[in-house]
Amino acid sequence: MGALAAIALLSGCSIDEAPSAPIPAACEDQVYADPVVKDLILKGTGSDSFRLNHLDQLKYAKIDAAHRCMQQKGLVPPGGGVARPRITG
């Protein structure tokens, strides 16, 4: 187990599931059903090194999926000038 994963395990939190702004409840299922998000989570499930090396990629995939969902549901106006949800971790 990697050092960061061990620290996260001991602290009781997941290193890739700590959003600074939560995904809207209306979009949470859609974010985790996104093919890119699902693929990255699946690949990282058995490999601490993969997960640690792809944290940013997973974070931005979640942000993009959440933003698309929020646009589809009319929670944000269409276009690129709107701040996207911030997800850290």
Side-chain angles (χ1 to χ4, degrees):
M1 182 181 297
L4 290 177
I7 292 169
L9 182 63
L10 292 174
S11 68
C13 65
S14 172
I15 55 176
D16 58 353
E17 298 295 330
S20 63
I23 297 169
C27 292
E28 190 167 344
D29 289 341
Q30 192 169 336
V31 167
Y32 286 97
D34 182 81
V36 175
V37 173
K38 283 174 65 173
D39 184 55
L40 288 167
I41 290 172
L42 180 65
K43 288 178 179 175
T45 299
S47 171
D48 289 334
S49 63
F50 180 89
R51 189 173 62 245
L52 291 172
N53 289 330
H54 292 83
L55 284 176
D56 285 341
Q57 194 175 0
L58 177 59
K59 175 177 65 174
Y60 291 118
K62 288 179 181 179
I63 289 169
D64 288 341
H67 193 254
R68 281 192 304 274
C69 174
M70 291 181 344
Q71 282 181 324
Q72 290 170 355
K73 294 187 181 292
L75 301 173
V76 296
V82 178
R84 294 180 176 213
R86 291 183 334 158
I87 301 175
T88 61

